[in-house]
Amino acid sequence: MTVPGKASPDRNRPVEENLDLFQRMRAGEFEDGAYTLRAKIDMASPNITLRDPVVYRIKREPHYRTGDQWCIYPMYDFAHCLSDSIEKITHSICTLNLRTTVPFMIGFLIH
């Protein structure tokens, strides 16, 4: 946790190649877990949650709303802010009980 992270050999892959791989992930061309989509942030950050976190993963699991339409899903860290936005949650309380992973968040709406 005190040493900067090590960059993946694919970190500087061209945008076009990344977009192609993401479309192929979405189309179901790869097995579960074969690829992930990571946010390119900062591998040297002292905050480990900012070291190129995984945003999407391949997981063939039926969804309660969309069935088998999708085989890629957002990770909690990424989905949390999206669902807060959809649900119009304006503030989140974050605790430090999970310091080495993701802060526990409780969302609420302020009128």
Side-chain angles (χ1 to χ4, degrees):
M1 300 262 302
T2 59
V3 178
K6 189 182 276 189
S8 159
D10 298 318
R11 188 172 197 270
N12 294 313
R13 178 185 285 150
V15 172
E16 296 78 16
E17 191 175 339
N18 283 329
L19 288 172
D20 176 62
L21 283 169
F22 186 67
Q23 290 168 348
R24 292 167 59 197
M25 284 171 61
R26 167 65 179 93
E29 192 172 318
F30 305 112
E31 295 297 318
D32 289 9
Y35 284 93
T36 60
L37 175 71
R38 300 180 73 100
K40 187 175 180 180
I41 301 180
D42 181 8
M43 290 304 292
S45 176
N47 181 346
I48 198 166
T49 60
L50 295 179
R51 294 183 185 174
D52 293 4
V54 174
V55 179
Y56 276 93
R57 84 254 192 229
I58 303 169
K59 183 172 177 142
R60 285 177 181 74
E61 185 74 31
H63 188 269
Y64 73 99
R65 288 189 184 168
T66 59
D68 293 329
Q69 184 178 358
W70 292 88
C71 63
I72 57 172
Y73 288 95
M75 300 299 287
Y76 174 79
D77 297 351
F78 183 64
H80 177 256
C81 58
L82 297 177
S83 55
D84 277 1
S85 175
I86 292 166
E87 296 169 9
K88 303 201 183 330
I89 293 172
T90 56
H91 294 73
S92 290
I93 298 174
C94 302
T95 66
L96 298 176
N97 60 333
L98 301 171
R99 288 179 197 198
T100 60
T101 59
V102 181
F104 176 72
M105 298 183 183
I106 301 171
F108 59 95
L109 177 62
I110 294 182
H111 294 279

